[in-house]
Amino acid sequence: KTNIGFLDNRNKLEDVVITIHGENDSDPVRYVRSRTCSYDQKTDYIGCTGSVDIQLDETTTAHTEEVTYSHAERLIVSTVPVRFERPGSANGSANALEYSIEHGLLKLTGTVKIHTTRNVDLESAVVVFQEKEKWVHASGGVLLKSPTGWIRGMQAHAELLAESYKPTKVI
């Protein structure tokens, strides 16, 4: 909404909404909303701070305090704690997030905790979700709990249903 200044080829902006279009019309439009952002014209990087909301797809959002977006790499990165939610499906948290728009790859790292509406909990050091190929992989001290039991291991992998992302096969 407001361009508050220009210094060293950087625009300082307030009340920002970044619109990120997909590579084709069938890809969802994504948004990054933040209190303040800095746009570097040389590198095409946008750094945002303060109540950052990231729309990862039609229903999944992430909330954090800092994020960087590289338009050239089509990469969203947050190296500070992040909370995420997919209403009617799951919510959780992680210490960092990296999302490649081009590849549809979401990587959550550092004390990842996910809780589903079916009362299944996943805890792990790293969780990688591939939205285009519909799979999720967890590694590093994986704990999977459900109302009927639990399992612990070093790695876990699940194939997912297309629309709901519910697991069809867990290894």
Side-chain angles (χ1 to χ4, degrees), residues 15-50:
D15 298 321
V16 180
V17 177
I18 301 166
T19 304
I20 306 167
H21 294 278
E23 292 186 13
N24 33 46
D25 293 339
S26 62
D27 292 340
V29 175
R30 293 165 176 91
Y31 300 95
V32 176
R33 294 173 178 85
S34 181
R35 230 181 281 145
T36 62
C37 291
S38 168
Y39 171 61
D40 188 325
Q41 292 182 355
K42 285 183 183 176
T43 64
D44 219 14
Y45 271 66
I46 302 172
C48 299
T49 57

Side-chain angles (χ1 to χ4, degrees), residues 2 14 42 79 122:
T2 307
E14 282 185 338
K42 285 183 183 176
T79 58
L122 171 67

Side-chain angles (χ1 to χ4, degrees), residues 30-81:
R30 293 165 176 91
Y31 300 95
V32 176
R33 294 173 178 85
S34 181
R35 230 181 281 145
T36 62
C37 291
S38 168
Y39 171 61
D40 188 325
Q41 292 182 355
K42 285 183 183 176
T43 64
D44 219 14
Y45 271 66
I46 302 172
C48 299
T49 57
S51 297
V52 181
D53 294 325
I54 308 160
Q55 188 77 39
L56 297 170
D57 63 24
E58 293 92 344
T59 59
T60 308
T61 56
H63 313 281
T64 187
E65 288 300 313
E66 291 180 22
V67 73
T68 302
Y69 172 63
S70 166
H71 185 65
E73 298 174 64
R74 299 187 53 77
L75 187 66
I76 298 171
V77 176
S78 178
T79 58
V80 299

Side-chain angles (χ1 to χ4, degrees), residues 112 121-127 137-145 150-157 170-171:
V112 180
D121 294 318
L122 171 67
E123 295 179 16
S124 182
V126 178
V127 173
H137 185 85
S139 60
V142 178
L143 175 61
L144 185 60
K145 296 188 288 187
W150 59 272
I151 188 167
R152 186 181 298 273
M154 291 308 298
Q155 295 184 47
H157 183 86
V170 178
I171 301 168

Side-chain angles (χ1 to χ4, degrees), residues 23 27 101-104 130-135 165:
E23 292 186 13
D27 292 340
I101 296 167
E102 180 180 348
H103 299 104
Q130 195 354 298
E131 72 178 339
K132 292 181 179 181
E133 296 175 15
K134 310 296 186 263
W135 56 260
Y165 296 113

